[in-house]
């Protein structure tokens, strides 16, 4: 696996950056154009950051910077296709983007934190993450400077942790503030801990698994259809424990997963759940050919 810990110029992705970058590309423009900062209304470093985040969220092709089908569906597409949620007003869309950010692995910190690190360290500090990455580098033969590790972790906090994101903000407008795009998910929390000498405090962070009632059950199905390794059946153990699966990516507990499986089985007649003779698995009678239909079912209900 190739690891990437830079490219954002220390800028977290802000709320409207993805739409702004998407619209810019759909107009046939290039991020390398001399007038890109003027057209986008940001500085040169922010232009590079917008490009980075579009790639990290899997919304453009990494080699051609062409918007993906998912980007078209969310932000408006071509012709008369109506956008699912162009201004990211539905928290479900933010959960979908969170999934994309983790699963693409373009920005390695997010895959590593949600699939590996938080399971090793339930409560963690900046220093804990730095030691984790240094050990990972020794094990897998890559090196990264302590500054790059610290910068990347700082951006991660500003993306997800409300206290960090709001610190220093001078306006309530989320586009103009320092708010990260995923702070509304409330995934990362913190509390102070005394330093060893007892003279100060350091922040300790935690990602606590929960039911995740605000995640649509449809997103679990989308994750499975988006995973090429999943066949016609998948065990509950895999969904709970494997990297890239719902419980890891969404920090979801078993109770929340079981409820979402129940919802999916009642909603889709091509799904069944087997819980007999020690076998606990979600089974497909047949797998839908178009994973994006799951998103359409959520955003454009048939009775509307």
């Amino acid at each position: 696996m190739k690891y990437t810990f830079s490219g954002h110029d220390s800028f977290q992705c802000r709320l409207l950056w993805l739409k702004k970058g998407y619209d810019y590309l759909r107009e046939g423009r290039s991020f390398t154009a001399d007038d890109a900062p003027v057209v986008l209304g940001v500085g040169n470093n922010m232009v590079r950051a917008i490009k980075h985040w579009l790639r990290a969220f899997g919304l453009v092709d990494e080699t051609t910077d062409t918007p993906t089908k998912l980007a078209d569906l969310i932000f408006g597409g071509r012709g008369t296709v109506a956008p699912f949620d162009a201004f990211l007003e539905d928290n479900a869309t933010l959960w979908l983007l969170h999934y994309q950010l983790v699963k693409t692995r373009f920005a390695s910190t997010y895959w590593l934190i949600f699939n590996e690190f938080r399971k090793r360290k339930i409560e963690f500090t900046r220093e804990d993450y730095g030691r984790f990455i240094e050990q990972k580098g020794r094990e897998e033969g890559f090196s990264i400077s302590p500054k790059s590790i610290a910068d990347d972790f700082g951006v991660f906090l500003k993306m997800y942790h409300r206290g960090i994101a709001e610190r220093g903000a001078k306006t309530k407008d989320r586009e103009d503030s320092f708010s990260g795009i995923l702070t509304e998910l409330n995934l990362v929390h913190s509390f102070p801990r005394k330093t060893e000498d007892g003279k100060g405090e350091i922040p300790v962070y935690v990602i606590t698994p929960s039911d995740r009632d605000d995640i649509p059950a449809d997103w679990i199905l989308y994750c499975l259809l988006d995973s090429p390794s999943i066949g016609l059946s998948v065990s509950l153990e895999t969904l709970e424990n494997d990297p890239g699966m719902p419980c890891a990516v969404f920090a979801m507990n078993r109770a929340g997963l079981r409820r979402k499986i129940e919802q999916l089985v009642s909603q889709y007649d091509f799904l069944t759940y087997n819980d007999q003779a020690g076998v606990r698995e979600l089974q497909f009678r047949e797998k839908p050919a178009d994973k994006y239909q799951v998103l359409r079912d959520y955003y454009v209900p048939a009775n509307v």
Side-chain angles (χ1 to χ4, degrees), residues 43-99:
N44 283 313
N45 290 354
M46 287 186 177
V47 171
R48 291 192 293 269
I50 290 172
K51 177 180 178 180
H52 168 85
W53 290 118
L54 282 168
R55 290 181 173 184
F57 282 104
L59 298 174
V60 297
D61 182 270
E62 291 182 20
T63 56
T64 65
D65 282 340
T66 303
T68 61
K69 183 170 183 177
L70 178 62
D72 284 338
L73 290 172
I74 293 174
F75 296 112
R78 308 163 196 168
T80 58
V81 177
F84 284 165
D85 187 14
F87 296 98
L88 309 182
E89 297 171 295
D90 188 340
N91 260 26
T93 311
L94 298 182
W95 281 114
L96 179 61
L97 289 173
H98 163 75
Y99 165 75

Side-chain angles (χ1 to χ4, degrees), residues 185-205:
L185 301 182
N186 291 316
L187 265 170
V188 181
H189 300 274
S190 67
F191 61 91
R193 175 183 291 167
K194 290 286 187 181
T195 55
E196 291 184 4
D197 60 12
K199 296 180 179 179
E201 295 179 338
I202 59 172
V204 178
Y205 303 98

Side-chain angles (χ1 to χ4, degrees), residues 209-222:
S210 75
D211 291 0
R212 304 298 176 206
D213 290 335
D214 56 336
I215 298 178
D218 306 75
W219 276 202
I220 307 304
L221 177 57
Y222 179 80

Side-chain angles (χ1 to χ4, degrees), residues 1-5 62 100-116 129 132-133 136-137 139-143 152 243-244:
M1 175 179 172
K2 179 183 177 182
Y3 294 96
T4 304
F5 298 94
E62 291 182 20
Q100 287 287 120
L101 179 60
V102 174
K103 75 102 178 181
T104 63
R105 308 192 195 191
F106 184 84
S108 300
T109 287
Y110 303 89
W111 172 269
L112 290 171
I113 285 179
F114 285 96
N115 287 289
E116 295 185 39
Y129 180 70
F132 165 74
I133 294 299
K136 194 81 175 172
E139 293 172 351
E140 302 196 21
F142 69 87
S143 61
D152 220 47

